[in-house]
Amino acid sequence: MNLNKQQFTTEIAGKKLTLEVSDIAGQANAAVLGTLGDTSVLVTAVMGKEDRNTDYFPLSVDYEERFYAAGKILGSRFVRREGRPSEGAVLSGRMIDRTLRPLFDSRMRRDIQMVITVLSYDEKNDPDFISLLSASTALLISDIPWDGPVAGLRLIKTKNGDLLINPTNPELIEKPILFESFVSGTEDKINMIELAGNEAKEDDIIDAFEKAQIEIKKLVAFQNQIKEKIGKPKAEILLKEIDPEIKNKALGFLEGKLEQAIYVADKSEQQDNLSKLKTNLFDYLKQEGVSDFSGVEYLFEEEIDEIVHKNILESEKRPDARKLDEIRSLYAEVGLFKRLHGSALFARGNTQSLAVVTLGAPGAEQLIETMESTTKRRFMLHYNFPPYSTGEVKRLGVTGRREIGHGALAGKAVQSLIPSQEEFPYTIRIVSEILSSNGSSSMATVCASSMALMDAGVPIKKAIAGIAMGLMTDQHNYKILTDIQGPEDHYGDMDCKVAGTEDGIAAVQMDVKIEGITPKILKEVLIQAKKARLEILEAMKKTIDKSRPQVSSFAPIIMIVEINPERIGEVIGPGGK
């Protein structure tokens, strides 16, 4: 049997990269086998046959780790197979989804599923890079409508000033890291960022991203060459459209009413206004003899989007009347419950996070077994987002992808504060309960966690705070927004979360709904975020400005005893058994 293999090769950071297309997984719309070193992934792209009756674009990206890829047999003694995706797999899948999604037309209603299966892992080359490149290529050569290609890179900036592009894991051993990032985008724009830093400077980050853009451009050109040789014509998919007559009736009814409903400071009042207006719209259309309401929901959302954009771009008018760089009102409190080891409540507008710190013995570390590594974790941050936080009634279930993603972002930021095990031998767990949410609960979690650590007596040297930045743009203009909420978050073009101390950045996460943004815009975003971060840190200091000298009386006591090596046998030998 001939599998009709076609291989395409290029280099990245001096390493050979291969993308192979063949009859493997031939029933998918497209499949690509990507290899870097001895790390290989299979990515498939499949599109449903019919449109779904839904009001959103149904894209799913599943990242599947296989233990055999690393030559391991893991799991419990009774179940020796892969179960739920690991936290790392969920984060990798989200990262790829966030890069691909902005380049689809959101009016599509066909199911599209990307499945990334890690087939081989050499413990040197990170699968995320080759997974994203293979996913982009699979979409590009398929008949699925998509406006790619995209590519991404892993970047490491050391404290010595070296910038490493797609380094292997062994290259990072014992290197002091200033920041580590995965950045992706199109030929000339950035559309996704994940960054963990150690008080990194804004200029260093932008400089690294500008250099990454040069490499991304080469990878985009490489994919376009593959498309020219084997790309399929794109399928013609009907986009969700509304009947022109119904559209005119709906717009006539909504004229002047939408703006009045949106522009109120209170989130609950705003939601009630829009809900009632939508109900009245459907009642009106029924009276007008309309029976097919397909597209009306999308039109309603599109009109809100247009109003919010227009008012911010033309007159800097935000729904709650704040200035573009103005933060909502802040509130902070610590030591809320006597028996907790440490606690803090942080509120920014309608967003509230209650962070609780629990200190445990060194043996309370979490054992992490994944395809990539087997390690122990002594610091954990868990994020809970109950339905009451948005005034909704929903079934309480297992931790979702969103909660894992938000918890990981906050944990990445706070991790930079955690003292070494030698300095503070406790295992540390933080739980953030989101009591109310209206924009950037993950950054509220960072602020609350910082104060809760101080309240618990964890010797952190500095406080850390976070803020969510937004963007409204059109073909000619753009405006950067500080502390986005409600419609600005939902209808805005960017969500860029930045956390850090007064001396530098600890974490960045950026998503966009447009093709991407330029490094110039990103630099302005980071500078404006720094101004907001310093304001928030100043407010937090008024509540608690340094760690308590001792841990809570309800926390376990850890005593360290040093033993003369010559007498160790008396403790662990026959004399000490």
Side-chain angles (χ1 to χ4, degrees):
M1 179 181 177
N2 182 7
L3 289 175
N4 299 313
K5 292 183 181 180
Q6 298 181 74
Q7 288 191 341
F8 305 89
T9 63
T10 189
E11 278 195 359
I12 178 72
K15 305 181 194 78
K16 181 182 176 184
L17 179 160
T18 303
L19 299 180
E20 181 180 296
V21 180
S22 67
D23 290 338
I24 288 176
Q27 296 187 65
N29 290 63
V32 173
L33 181 67
T35 300
L36 181 66
D38 288 330
T39 294
S40 295
V41 300
L42 175 66
V43 180
T44 57
V46 177
M47 181 169 63
K49 308 299 182 195
E50 297 178 355
D51 288 354
R52 279 179 57 183
N53 185 22
T54 180
D55 58 357
Y56 62 91
F57 167 50
L59 168 69
S60 61
V61 178
D62 296 301
Y63 188 96
E64 300 289 315
E65 293 177 325
R66 294 290 184 252
F67 297 149
Y68 60 70
K72 297 179 180 179
I73 299 176
L74 299 177
S76 74
R77 290 176 59 195
F78 304 101
V79 182
R80 292 295 191 182
R81 69 172 297 161
E82 294 81 3
R84 290 183 62 207
S86 69
E87 185 178 293
V90 169
L91 297 175
S92 294
R94 279 172 57 89
M95 186 172 69
I96 293 167
D97 182 310
R98 288 159 42 211
T99 304
L100 302 177
R101 188 178 292 270
L103 298 173
F104 284 99
D105 192 314
S106 61
R107 293 173 294 172
M108 283 179 61
R109 294 296 179 263
R110 291 280 179 97
D111 278 304
I112 295 174
Q113 184 179 36
M114 309 291 300
V115 178
I116 298 137
T117 309
V118 183
L119 300 178
S120 175
Y121 175 56
D122 63 8
E123 300 185 2
K124 295 180 182 178
N125 294 287
D126 182 19
D128 289 350
F129 162 75
I130 193 67
S131 295
L132 174 59
L133 188 69
S134 302
S136 173
T137 305
L139 284 170
L140 191 65
I141 64 174
S142 75
D143 61 343
I144 300 172
W146 186 62
D147 292 331
V150 293
L153 294 169
R154 186 186 185 196
L155 297 175
I156 306 290
K157 179 89 171 187
T158 70
K159 290 184 178 178
N160 302 329
D162 298 327
L163 180 64
L164 308 177
I165 294 177
N166 265 18
T168 59
N169 294 333
E171 288 177 313
L172 300 180
I173 295 174
E174 296 182 0
K175 287 202 174 180
I177 294 175
L178 182 63
F179 67 82
E180 177 177 359
S181 177
F182 195 95
V183 56
S184 53
T186 61
E187 185 177 30
D188 55 4
K189 292 182 179 176
I190 296 168
N191 77 348
M192 197 288 305
I193 296 170
E194 281 287 344
L195 182 143
N198 189 0
E199 297 189 318
K201 302 301 181 186
E202 286 79 2
D203 286 343
D204 287 335
I205 291 172
I206 295 300
D207 178 64
F209 288 173
E210 287 175 342
K211 289 172 181 172
Q213 193 80 63
I214 297 169
E215 299 300 322
I216 289 173
K217 188 171 185 176
K218 293 176 187 175
L219 293 169
V220 165
F222 171 59
Q223 292 177 73
N224 281 325
Q225 291 169 10
I226 298 174
K227 179 189 175 184
E228 287 176 12
K229 293 179 181 177
I230 61 171
K232 300 175 185 175
K234 295 299 182 184
E236 291 187 12
I237 306 295
L238 290 176
L239 301 176
K240 197 74 172 178
E241 297 286 358
I242 187 171
D243 180 275
E245 186 179 343
I246 298 173
K247 180 178 180 178
N248 289 334
K249 287 180 179 179
L251 291 177
F253 176 83
L254 291 174
E255 188 174 358
K257 298 184 179 75
L258 261 181
E259 191 157 347
Q260 189 177 353
I262 297 166
Y263 286 83
V264 291
D266 184 71
K267 179 187 177 184
S268 297
E269 185 182 350
Q270 186 186 82
Q271 288 180 327
D272 288 344
N273 289 347
L274 291 174
S275 178
K276 287 175 186 174
L277 184 57
K278 191 186 293 185
T279 300
N280 292 340
L281 171 63
F282 278 90
D283 289 343
Y284 167 76
L285 292 176
K286 283 178 187 175
Q287 293 171 10
E288 290 292 307
V290 175
S291 57
D292 180 10
F293 294 97
S294 59
V296 175
E297 186 93 26
Y298 184 83
L299 175 68
F300 190 84
E301 295 292 303
E302 198 175 44
E303 285 302 298
I304 297 174
D305 185 293
E306 187 175 326
I307 288 170
V308 172
H309 268 77
K310 179 175 181 290
N311 284 333
I312 287 175
L313 288 170
E314 292 182 4
S315 56
E316 299 189 354
K317 180 183 176 184
R318 299 178 72 170
D320 61 355
R322 280 182 293 144
K323 296 176 183 176
L324 296 187
D325 63 350
E326 185 179 348
I327 303 169
R328 288 171 288 170
S329 60
L330 303 174
Y331 175 83
E333 183 181 351
V334 296
L336 285 88
F337 303 99
K338 182 180 177 182
R339 296 192 69 90
L340 301 181
H341 299 171
S343 60
L345 175 66
F346 178 83
R348 190 190 323 102
N350 292 126
T351 298
Q352 303 167 355
S353 167
L354 170 66
V356 178
V357 171
T358 305
L359 303 177
E365 291 173 320
Q366 181 185 9
L367 177 64
I368 307 291
E369 282 191 323
T370 69
M371 175 198 74
E372 295 191 37
S373 63
T374 300
T375 59
K376 289 183 178 180
R377 183 183 290 170
R378 65 176 280 261
F379 167 66
M380 296 155 274
L381 193 153
H382 297 139
Y383 167 103
N384 294 323
F385 192 82
Y388 65 75
S389 66
T390 54
E392 296 175 283
V393 177
K394 290 182 181 177
R395 182 171 173 268
L396 292 171
V398 296
T399 306
R401 289 183 172 221
R402 182 185 179 279
E403 289 173 296
I404 290 172
H406 280 51
L409 171 60
K412 190 186 297 181
V414 177
Q415 176 76 54
S416 62
L417 299 177
I418 301 302
S420 68
Q421 193 158 16
E422 291 74 24
E423 186 181 357
F424 191 74
Y426 287 91
T427 296
I428 304 166
R429 181 185 184 227
I430 303 175
V431 178
S432 171
E433 304 285 357
I434 302 304
L435 307 180
S436 177
S437 178
N438 185 21
S440 190
S441 53
S442 62
M443 294 297 95
T445 293
V446 171
C447 300
S449 297
S450 173
M451 293 189 297
L453 285 168
M454 288 183 174
D455 184 54
V458 179
I460 63 174
K461 295 179 176 62
K462 298 177 184 177
I464 188 169
I467 192 72
M469 308 297 295
L471 180 75
M472 295 289 173
T473 182
D474 60 18
Q475 293 180 341
H476 312 290
N477 193 16
Y478 66 87
K479 299 287 183 181
I480 297 166
L481 311 177
T482 294
D483 188 19
I484 54 173
Q485 62 160 344
E488 298 166 346
D489 189 3
H490 188 69
Y491 302 104
D493 297 323
M494 177 195 76
D495 181 6
C496 184
K497 302 179 179 77
V498 186
T501 68
E502 59 189 7
D503 293 317
I505 291 173
V508 178
Q509 184 182 85
M510 188 193 80
D511 308 317
V512 297
K513 297 188 182 82
I514 52 178
E515 180 188 346
I517 66 172
T518 63
K520 175 182 176 292
I521 294 177
L522 182 58
K523 184 173 183 178
E524 292 177 36
V525 169
L526 295 182
I527 291 170
Q528 195 165 313
K530 181 179 180 180
K531 175 179 176 290
R533 186 170 79 243
L534 295 177
E535 286 181 36
I536 296 169
L537 285 168
E538 198 59 39
M540 289 164 56
K541 282 180 184 177
K542 294 175 182 176
T543 301
I544 187 167
D545 63 350
K546 61 183 177 181
S547 296
R548 302 199 188 282
Q550 293 180 325
V551 299
S552 164
S553 60
F554 295 99
I557 296 174
I558 296 177
M559 298 180 67
I560 299 174
V561 179
E562 293 188 7
I563 300 168
N564 187 330
E566 295 176 0
R567 303 186 64 186
I568 195 75
E570 296 177 31
V571 180
I572 63 172
K577 68 181 179 182

